[in-house]
């Protein structure tokens, strides 16, 4: 559930009360006015640049799974800059390594805000790391945009009005994957392996919305500090688990699948998007073994990464030209999709962007993004996506199977996925 607030998700309420947005804007400081009106220059804004920053693990235990995200975002911004930028401004993206260490996160984010004077923090990665700077950013009224974590902590607009999530949250993912398991194999024994923090807690919460309290036949937890899950996998095998839901990051998804294979056990795996990127998993498991072990692997996602999609074609082009030939993975699509959403918000903030102005643009309900379900942002909802699609791996290709679910309150509903067309070569205009 939301920390300190009741958890209620209303998928139908995707539009914002104009009166409420106006009231919020009226409560801002005189310099923080939205739109194109004249205003005092916002931090990080010049006539021809906007400077933003992020914290991310370029080194440390999470680097192998996530360090490529910020590079993909920067590649997208370089592409936009070559097209003339947003409202005549190029985007400068400062990336600082925090090693996935909350203490380091505090140091580098303070540097970004106080020394580099960034306009906003974009896509800070990790639940424990970003939690360490949540109060600081909101107390200093720094736009804290599109956090790279599925924790529901980011969706507390009254407590944290400057913070917005990006990922579909873990409750949504847990509920959707449990519903897919129920739809595909209603009599199967469903179990769960989860990280021993909010990731695992909220994923369990979502699964139990569908399966009922006690509906998970067996639950095991792991700590990222211990890269041995033999005991957990052995216990799940002994419990007769047939479908295993995974609240795991990529490294531990691969560890679970590989450990089970060593035990001669081959259940079905249903993973969160945070640990379900096929190319990354093959990188861990090896080109010979990975494709065999991951045949039929199921995961959730909310971004347009179908191999035949036009967003993938655009992002592959950008990756080839601006990202030094880096491998094209789900992280590439994720990083560029984050960059696109920021560019869209900046464009809608007007020719004279302010910090309050970009927040107003996000809560207006006018942003479209490029996901397969509509964005949920409003004055009352600071979560991006309240639904996910289901993907499977078949013969080395990971793609959506058509099943798409949204969480409306405590109810999972099946919906049709939506395709957002690429317009203006993928550079938002604010029109």
């Amino acid at each position: 559930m939301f920390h300190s607030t009741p958890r209620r998700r209303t998928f139908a309420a995707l539009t914002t009360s104009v009166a409420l947005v106006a009231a919020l804007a009226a409560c801002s400081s005189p310099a923080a006015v939205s739109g194109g009106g004249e205003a005092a220059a916002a931090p990080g804004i010049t006539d021809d640049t906007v400077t933003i920053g992020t914290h991310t693990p370029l080194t440390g235990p999470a680097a192998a799974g996530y360090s490529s995200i910020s590079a993909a975002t920067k590649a997208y911004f370089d592409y936009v800059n070559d097209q003339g930028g947003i409202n005549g401004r190029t985007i400068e993206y400062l990336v600082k390594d925090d090693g996935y260490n909350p203490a380091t996160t505090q140091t580098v984010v303070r540097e970004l805000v106080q020394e580099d004077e960034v306009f906003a923090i974009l896509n800070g990665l990790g639940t424990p790391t970003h939690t360490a700077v949540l109060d600081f950013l909101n107390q200093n009224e720094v736009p804290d945009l599109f956090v790279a974590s599925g924790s529901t902590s980011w969706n507390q607009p009254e407590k944290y009005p400057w913070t917005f999530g990006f990922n579909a949250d873990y409750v949504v993912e847990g509920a959707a994957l449990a519903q897919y398991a129920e739809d595909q194999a209603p009599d199967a024994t469903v179990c769960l392996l989860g990280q021993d923090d909010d990731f695992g807690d909220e994923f369990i919460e979502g699964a139990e919305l569908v399966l009922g309290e006690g509906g998970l036949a067996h639950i095991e937890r792991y700590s990222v500090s211990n890269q041995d899950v033999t005991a957990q996998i052995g216990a799940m095998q002994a419990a007769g688990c047939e479908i295993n839901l995974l609240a795991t990051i990529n490294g531990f998804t691969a560890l679970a699948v590989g450990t089970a294979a060593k035990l001669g056990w081959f259940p079905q795996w249903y993973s969160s998007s945070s640990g379900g990127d096929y190319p990354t998993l093959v990188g861990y498991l090896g080109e010979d073994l990975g494709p065999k072990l991951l045949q039929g692997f199921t995961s959730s996602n909310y971004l347009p990464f179908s191999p035949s999609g036009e967003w993938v074609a655009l992002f592959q082009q950008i990756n080839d030209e601006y990202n030094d030939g880096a491998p094209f993975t789900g992280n590439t699509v994720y990083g560029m999709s984050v960059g696109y959403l920021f560019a869209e918000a900046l464009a809608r903030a007007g020719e004279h962007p302010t910090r309050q102005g970009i927040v107003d643009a996000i809560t207006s309900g006018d942003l479209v993004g490029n996901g397969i379900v509509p964005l949920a942002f409003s004055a009352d909802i600071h979560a991006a996506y309240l639904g996910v699609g289901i993907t499977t791996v078949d013969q080395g290709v990971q793609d959506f199977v058509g099943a798409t679910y949204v969480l409306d309150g405590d109810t999972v509903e099946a919906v049709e996925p939506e395709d957002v067309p690429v317009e203006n070569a993928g550079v938002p205009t604010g029109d």
Side-chain angles (χ1 to χ4, degrees), residues 55-237:
H55 67 86
T56 196
L58 301 179
T59 58
Y66 302 115
S67 61
S68 60
I69 291 174
S70 58
T73 305
K74 185 179 185 304
Y76 173 78
F77 288 151
D78 289 345
Y79 166 76
V80 169
N81 292 343
D82 277 356
Q83 313 307 308
I86 302 297
N87 289 329
R89 290 182 179 85
T90 58
I91 301 170
E92 297 185 357
Y93 192 40
L94 306 182
V95 178
K96 298 212 174 187
D97 179 20
D98 67 2
Y100 208 67
N101 181 318
T104 307
T105 306
Q106 290 182 323
T107 298
V108 300
V109 168
R110 286 180 181 275
E111 289 174 356
L112 287 166
V113 173
Q114 296 174 340
E115 298 176 19
D116 299 312
E117 296 185 332
V118 295
F119 175 66
I121 297 294
L122 176 68
N123 205 225
L125 192 145
T127 301
T129 46
H130 200 73
T131 298
V133 296
L134 195 55
D135 288 328
F136 169 77
L137 291 174
N138 279 269
Q139 288 165 2
N140 286 275
E141 299 185 346
V142 179
D144 179 20
L145 307 182
F146 315 143
V147 183
S149 156
S151 173
T152 58
S153 298
W154 328 129
N155 187 13
Q156 300 186 71
E158 291 188 4
K159 185 175 183 181
Y160 298 120
W162 297 88
T163 296
F164 297 83
F166 183 75
N167 302 27
D169 71 48
Y170 302 134
V171 180
V172 168
E173 288 196 307
L177 287 169
Q179 187 64 59
Y180 186 68
E182 184 85 352
D183 292 346
Q184 295 297 305
D187 297 323
T189 301
V190 181
C191 303
L192 185 144
L193 173 66
Q195 204 159 288
D196 61 350
D197 56 17
D198 285 358
F199 186 3
D201 293 343
E202 294 179 355
F203 207 84
I204 291 169
E205 180 186 343
E208 290 185 339
L209 287 177
V210 174
L211 303 175
E213 188 173 354
L216 290 164
H218 191 83
I219 297 173
E220 287 288 332
R221 308 296 291 270
Y222 72 90
S223 170
V224 292
S225 63
N226 182 5
Q227 297 189 11
D228 183 353
V229 294
T230 304
Q232 292 93 326
I233 298 300
M236 296 172 80
Q237 181 182 19

Side-chain angles (χ1 to χ4, degrees), residues 1-16:
M1 58 183 61
F2 293 156
H3 300 276
S4 304
T5 59
R7 183 183 63 78
R8 300 302 302 174
R9 295 171 173 77
T10 306
F11 184 73
L14 296 185
T15 58
T16 304

